[in-house]
Amino acid sequence: MDAEARQKLEETTRWQPGEVERRVFQDWLDGGYFHPEATGSPEENFSVAIPPPNVTGALHMGHALNGSMQDALVRMNRMSGRNTLWVLGTDHAGIATQSVVEKRLREESVDRHDIGREAFIERVWEWKEEYAARIKEQYQRLGASCDYERERFTLDDGYALAVRKVFTELYEKGYIYRDNYMVNWDPGSRSAISDLEVENREETDTLFSVRYPVEGSDRVLTVATVRPETMMADTAVAVNPKDERYADLVGSHCILPLVGRRLPIIADDHVDIAFGTGALKITPGHDVNDFEIGRRHGLEEISVIGEDGLMTEAAGERFAGMTVADAQVAVAEALREEGALSGQEPYEHSVPFSHRSGERIEPLISLQWFCRMDELAAPAIEAVENDVVSITPPQWKRVYLDWMREIRPWCISRQLWWGHRIPVWYRGEEIHVGEHEPDGDGWVQEEDVLDTWFSSAIWPFATLGWPEETPELKAFYPTDFLTTAREILFLWVARMVMTGIEFAGDIPFDNVYVHSVIQARDGRRMSKSLGTGIDPLGEIDEHGADALRFGLLAMSSTQDVRYSDAKVQQGRDLSNKLWNASRLILLNTAEPAERSVPAEPAALEDRWILSRLESTVGSVTSLLEVYDFAHAAQEIYSFVFSELCDWYLEIVKPRIYEGDGELARVLLHALERTLALVHPVMPFVTEELWGYHPYRQGHLVAHSFPIADPTRLDEQLEAEFAGAIGLTRQLRGWRDMAGVPPKIVLEATGVADGVPEFVFRLGRVTLRGDAPAGIRPVATVAGFGILPSEGLDTDALTARLSARRGKLEDELQKIEGKLGNQKFVDRAPPEVVAEEREKLEQVRAELAGLG
């Protein structure tokens, strides 16, 4: 390195990410490393399509975790020589984005209807431009090596054409149709939403018991309902055909209270004999199950709740125009006045709410567009059953298959302005469905837009230029990997598999990894409204992107994990440790004339670190390949922080300062491979350090990823060295426990055969033959007798040893008591019992050493 670089490295004693990250990332962009040529085949190449964030706002911690996982794999594969593409893009997110823009308009005291559809859509595009740019910058701050030159958006012109083509082809095949059908109506967004956008909550409502007089009889059918406000839409009362109490009433009629309408009494197997009185009011217009019963029995379908959430004229003059909540109170009072209300009680049950608006769902019959899914689902089921698409962890494969085997028609229309307007045009009785507007006058396009997930379903191939046969599509489809949250396994992942097979002719990806859910520090979900959200950029500003990336990967070991500040700090500590270790090597090691490292270096510690390095390369690579990011991060931490820095560099420090030539080759070789190994997880600090390395040729991002060299592996040496490190730890641990000042070099007796020199140097012990006459060791540590030494306070030492002995004896008694309890041994998990037995041996060994 030149003098200026050397001075800079000398002066920078700690890793300072804020000064480096933006410069390094710009260097990567300028180098074009993230923008591959569209050459080669999908089998040779590696590609990932980013799960597109919604343009509703800033990235959250889930995006940061997802991005860190993808980038680790993308960088590793790029460094491994594969032509690698990571497609970047954002989703228009129909309901969510329209909602936030409408909220902004309300702050200006403006309603979207005041300005009209065209002007409103212009306002949403302005929002999109602002937030898409912000999201792109946030990914860059994270270090995501996406192809920023191939950025896509689910409403850009080429993508919109692909969406229209998919709709048209599905319509022509008879899969897409229009029908009056029961839908989940969200009064908050004034739109139908899919089953997958509904979340059920436990609510306590009032269960009302209402008397329905049987026509021509003094008998009464008592019906239990939590929704008396819908009873004006009742068209039958149903009983179970096996219920002998009502067998004679089936086929007769009862009278609807308040209204006086004759209702047929029907028999249907759906009715639960044990619920309430066993008689069920049937309201096909406002209940999913009642709708199905009504269709089976040919019942009239009446709607008394409108799309605005208010009671309609069909509810009667007394209730029309009321909110649903007010109508319930009013209807209950009217029933009480009529003497038709026989009782009420609290009732806890599951109630559907919109995941989007938070409003309670109203089941309504509505004219909507649907897509029949059975034909599309069959090959997508087969692909996952046969692991052509592999889902990890494996329990999500079962969940995917269970849902797909019970798949229902998909309501794909939404009553919104922002989104892909359905490519259907009407002119009188004529209907045109196609990719382009029909010729001629008088055509009016469908007002509704498509469900956001309809357009998202074609993301992996539409982003590569489909339906055109583009070079990108030929080179990078199918993609290799998708990491996603479990809550969109059906909303998105399953639908991508279906459309990929149907339209692109192949699965959209080979592997799906369902990643952890990052919770708030207290275990609640991360939420801006709850005040539990954690801003990734705030963490990057405080700790650096590498620390956050490492921390997120290290904490991602289960499906639900609390955000761990300790793991992020561990990443920051690792960055600093790597920085200072590299400084030690680079500032004190001249570039050797010969770079190659001998097959058998003379020094034991050199052979050990090279073996450990290759073992770590192999294990980290294997762990990343099976998406075990947490253990890969911890393997990196253990090797770099402990073995390389705390042990190896401490052991060889005297040799560094002596200018050992062979050591210089080992150090620079080990540092180069370590930086390359760590780079996919912590790209910024490794790239910056590589800039000072004398072997540097080009950026580390384009350096080859290390492949484990089996010729360097020596398991026996590693085991022996681990034993020597264990001896050193025992000596150091005893010194700390005994309060021996670091400046004191202890004398000890014992045999040093086979014990490496560094054990005594780092343990601050001088080994002599026998003890002087009349002098007894004050303690035995790791087989060595510690002798009284000048400056060693033996009285204080005796007191400390006595206190420690007492603590260990208490601990020994507890452990022996546990292991002597046969119930504990039989019932506790085997690993817990083994851990207790290991602790027992450790305590006994330490007690023996205390003498």
Side-chain angles (χ1 to χ4, degrees):
M1 80 183 78
D2 59 29
E4 183 180 352
R6 184 179 185 85
Q7 181 180 355
K8 183 179 178 183
L9 188 58
E10 287 174 344
E11 292 172 351
T12 310
T13 58
R14 291 182 64 80
W15 168 234
Q16 298 173 353
E19 298 180 11
V20 175
E21 289 175 351
R22 292 183 188 274
R23 168 174 52 79
V24 167
F25 199 88
Q26 190 59 52
D27 287 346
W28 290 333
L29 290 179
D30 293 343
Y33 298 114
F34 308 156
H35 183 63
E37 293 292 326
T39 58
S41 68
E43 292 75 24
E44 301 165 326
N45 299 337
F46 184 83
S47 60
V48 176
I50 201 167
N54 295 343
V55 288
T56 49
L59 299 181
H60 54 64
M61 201 58 78
H63 293 119
L65 171 65
N66 192 303
S68 299
M69 289 177 169
Q70 290 173 87
D71 199 39
L73 295 178
V74 164
R75 287 178 181 271
M76 181 178 73
N77 278 278
R78 185 186 292 119
M79 295 172 72
S80 297
R82 299 180 72 180
N83 195 29
T84 300
L85 172 66
W86 186 9
V87 176
L88 175 71
T90 48
D91 196 300
H92 69 277
I95 292 178
T97 306
Q98 178 160 321
S99 296
V100 295
V101 176
E102 284 193 82
K103 181 179 179 182
R104 177 177 282 189
L105 286 176
R106 286 195 295 271
E107 292 170 357
E108 302 171 13
S109 300
V110 176
D111 184 270
R112 66 181 166 103
H113 297 281
D114 297 336
I115 62 175
R117 184 169 191 152
E118 187 175 335
F120 177 76
I121 290 174
E122 287 180 7
R123 290 291 297 266
V124 186
W125 274 104
E126 290 172 7
W127 173 281
K128 178 266 174 186
E129 294 302 323
E130 176 185 347
Y131 279 91
R134 188 178 299 184
I135 287 168
K136 179 178 176 179
E137 181 188 3
Q138 288 175 313
Y139 271 123
Q140 292 181 351
R141 290 288 311 278
L142 184 68
S145 59
C146 307
D147 188 340
Y148 294 90
E149 298 178 50
R150 286 190 174 101
E151 184 179 357
R152 298 302 303 269
F153 178 53
T154 54
L155 270 177
D156 64 35
D157 291 342
Y159 202 101
L161 176 63
V163 171
R164 294 195 298 271
K165 182 175 180 62
V166 167
F167 183 96
T168 301
E169 291 192 10
L170 289 174
Y171 178 83
E172 291 172 349
K173 290 177 179 179
Y175 297 171
I176 286 180
Y177 58 96
R178 200 180 191 205
D179 192 12
N180 280 296
Y181 205 80
M182 179 66 68
V183 298
N184 303 303
W185 187 263
D186 176 8
S189 65
R190 299 281 185 92
S191 176
I193 62 174
S194 74
D195 292 342
L196 297 174
E197 294 169 298
V198 174
E199 57 183 16
N200 291 302
R201 304 178 196 165
E202 289 299 313
E203 296 283 321
T204 300
D205 284 328
T206 300
L207 185 67
F208 298 89
S209 295
V210 184
R211 298 186 184 94
Y212 286 57
V214 177
E215 186 180 53
S217 164
D218 58 358
R219 294 177 67 181
V220 171
L221 285 178
T222 300
V223 171
T225 178
V226 294
R227 303 211 66 190
E229 67 275 14
T230 66
M231 64 182 292
M232 282 75 72
D234 288 0
T235 54
V237 171
V239 297
N240 193 290
K242 299 176 183 176
D243 195 336
E244 296 179 358
R245 294 173 295 175
Y246 307 117
D248 61 322
L249 295 179
V250 175
S252 59
H253 291 77
C254 59
I255 305 302
L256 177 61
L258 303 184
V259 179
R261 186 165 59 243
R262 295 174 75 239
L263 304 179
I265 300 172
I266 62 174
D268 195 280
D269 289 328
H270 172 77
V271 180
D272 183 356
I273 296 175
F275 178 75
T277 63
L280 182 69
K281 80 184 194 72
I282 304 301
T283 318
H286 296 289
D287 183 271
V288 175
N289 294 318
D290 291 3
F291 175 80
E292 298 293 345
I293 293 173
R295 290 270 165 122
R296 285 198 293 271
H297 294 270
L299 299 177
E300 184 182 2
E301 296 168 352
I302 301 172
S303 293
V304 295
I305 300 173
E307 293 180 351
D308 56 3
L310 302 179
M311 304 301 289
T312 68
E313 290 183 3
E317 185 178 349
R318 182 173 179 178
F319 308 113
M322 287 185 177
T323 65
V324 170
D326 289 343
Q328 181 175 109
V329 174
V331 170
E333 181 59 32
L335 289 169
R336 193 174 289 108
E337 292 171 1
E338 192 173 289
L341 189 64
S342 63
Q344 60 187 68
E345 60 183 281
Y347 180 64
E348 187 172 314
H349 65 136
S350 182
V351 176
F353 286 82
S354 168
H355 177 69
R356 296 295 184 184
S357 71
E359 295 277 343
R360 189 165 177 159
I361 290 297
E362 282 295 345
L364 297 181
I365 296 174
S366 179
L367 182 60
Q368 300 284 346
W369 288 93
F370 294 87
C371 183
R372 191 172 73 244
M373 305 302 294
D374 297 336
E375 294 89 347
L376 295 170
I381 290 171
E382 184 180 352
V384 172
E385 281 179 332
N386 297 331
D387 290 323
V388 178
V389 174
S390 173
I391 299 179
T392 306
Q395 69 262 30
W396 295 109
K397 173 182 177 179
R398 295 192 298 273
V399 172
Y400 169 100
L401 291 172
D402 288 346
W403 182 78
M404 290 286 279
R405 288 166 183 150
E406 299 294 327
I407 199 164
R408 292 159 52 92
W410 174 15
C411 177
I412 59 174
S413 49
R414 298 290 181 269
Q415 289 64 54
L416 303 170
W417 286 355
W418 174 246
H420 290 275
R421 201 162 170 179
I422 292 177
V424 176
W425 287 263
Y426 308 99
R427 185 169 66 181
E429 296 299 316
E430 293 181 85
I431 296 179
H432 172 81
V433 178
E435 298 170 35
H436 304 285
E437 184 176 356
D439 295 330
D441 298 328
W443 290 100
V444 178
Q445 189 174 359
E446 168 69 63
E447 291 285 325
D448 290 354
V449 301
L450 287 165
D451 178 11
T452 294
W453 298 105
F454 188 92
S455 53
S456 300
I458 64 173
W459 181 255
F461 54 93
T463 52
L464 298 174
W466 185 94
E468 300 297 324
E469 282 292 330
T470 62
E472 285 80 6
L473 194 64
K474 292 178 181 178
F476 297 113
Y477 187 88
T479 65
D480 291 85
F481 173 75
L482 174 77
T483 177
T484 185
R486 64 185 183 228
E487 62 265 24
I488 56 174
L489 187 62
F490 313 131
L491 281 167
W492 189 45
V493 177
R495 289 165 177 168
M496 284 191 288
V497 178
M498 287 186 272
T499 60
I501 295 171
E502 179 72 16
F503 294 100
D506 204 345
I507 57 171
F509 28 68
D510 299 319
N511 300 284
V512 177
Y513 178 69
V514 181
H515 63 66
S516 305
V517 174
I518 301 292
Q519 300 171 329
R521 295 176 176 95
D522 61 3
R524 290 184 293 168
R525 68 182 179 88
M526 282 200 187
S527 165
K528 188 178 294 184
S529 61
L530 293 175
T532 55
I534 302 171
D535 179 14
L537 288 188
E539 295 293 275
I540 290 173
D541 288 339
E542 183 176 355
H543 301 287
D546 289 334
L548 178 63
R549 290 167 61 114
F550 176 90
L552 288 170
L553 296 180
M555 70 180 80
S556 67
S557 57
T558 65
Q559 284 298 300
D560 292 289
V561 291
R562 295 186 180 192
Y563 185 78
S564 170
D565 293 293
K567 294 292 186 186
V568 177
Q569 184 59 48
Q570 194 177 48
R572 182 63 189 265
D573 292 343
L574 181 59
S575 299
N576 280 319
K577 195 81 164 181
L578 183 58
W579 181 263
N580 283 318
S582 300
R583 285 180 71 248
L584 174 67
I585 295 170
L586 296 169
L587 292 174
N588 295 283
T589 305
E591 181 177 0
E594 172 61 44
R595 291 184 178 182
S596 64
V597 175
E600 287 284 335
L604 176 75
E605 59 266 25
D606 293 349
R607 298 197 302 276
W608 171 73
I609 198 61
L610 293 174
S611 179
R612 287 301 308 134
L613 172 59
E614 298 310 315
S615 293
T616 305
V617 167
S619 61
V620 169
T621 302
S622 297
L623 290 166
L624 288 176
E625 287 175 345
V626 296
Y627 320 131
D628 190 347
F629 298 98
H631 286 103
Q634 290 304 326
E635 283 280 310
I636 287 171
Y637 183 88
S638 178
F639 172 75
V640 174
F641 205 97
S642 178
E643 293 172 333
L644 178 64
C645 299
D646 283 352
W647 289 106
Y648 179 67
L649 291 181
E650 284 300 310
I651 292 169
V652 302
K653 196 172 286 184
R655 294 172 58 205
I656 292 176
Y657 296 132
E658 291 167 3
D660 185 319
E662 184 170 284
L663 174 63
R665 289 150 63 188
V666 172
L667 287 171
L668 292 172
H669 167 84
L671 180 59
E672 177 180 13
R673 288 177 71 76
T674 298
L675 293 177
L677 176 66
V678 177
H679 180 78
V681 174
M682 307 177 78
F684 288 108
V685 66
T686 51
E687 185 71 78
E688 181 70 358
L689 285 168
W690 178 241
Y692 295 101
H693 199 292
Y695 297 172
R696 182 183 188 271
Q697 290 182 334
H699 285 87
L700 189 62
V701 68
H703 190 287
S704 60
F705 192 74
I707 299 173
D709 180 357
T711 65
R712 298 262 181 216
L713 298 177
D714 190 332
E715 292 183 5
Q716 182 177 347
L717 172 62
E718 288 187 26
E720 292 172 358
F721 214 84
I725 288 174
L727 290 177
T728 310
R729 283 194 172 119
Q730 288 183 57
L731 290 170
R732 285 176 163 179
W734 186 88
R735 290 179 66 100
D736 291 341
M737 183 274 299
V740 180
K743 64 180 180 180
I744 295 179
V745 178
L746 297 173
E747 289 191 339
T749 61
V751 178
D753 289 351
V755 179
E757 166 274 336
F758 74 81
V759 171
F760 304 106
R761 173 162 50 88
L762 299 184
R764 304 285 287 157
V765 170
T766 298
L767 197 65
R768 56 178 297 164
D770 298 325
I775 302 296
R776 295 183 59 193
V778 295
T780 301
V781 182
F784 302 106
I786 306 298
L787 300 174
S789 303
E790 185 179 350
L792 182 64
D793 187 337
T794 54
D795 291 336
L797 175 61
T798 300
R800 282 176 178 269
L801 294 178
S802 178
R804 179 62 179 165
R805 187 179 294 107
K807 187 174 181 179
L808 288 171
E809 287 171 346
D810 289 345
E811 193 173 345
L812 180 67
Q813 188 175 2
K814 289 179 183 177
I815 298 172
E816 287 178 336
K818 266 189 185 180
L819 293 174
N821 183 342
Q822 196 58 42
K823 287 184 179 180
F824 169 79
V825 175
D826 292 341
R827 295 177 182 175
E831 61 271 19
V832 173
V833 176
E835 186 179 337
E836 289 297 320
R837 286 177 173 149
E838 186 178 346
K839 281 163 59 178
L840 178 67
E841 294 307 312
Q842 290 173 350
V843 170
R844 284 174 173 169
E846 188 175 348
L847 271 172
L850 293 179

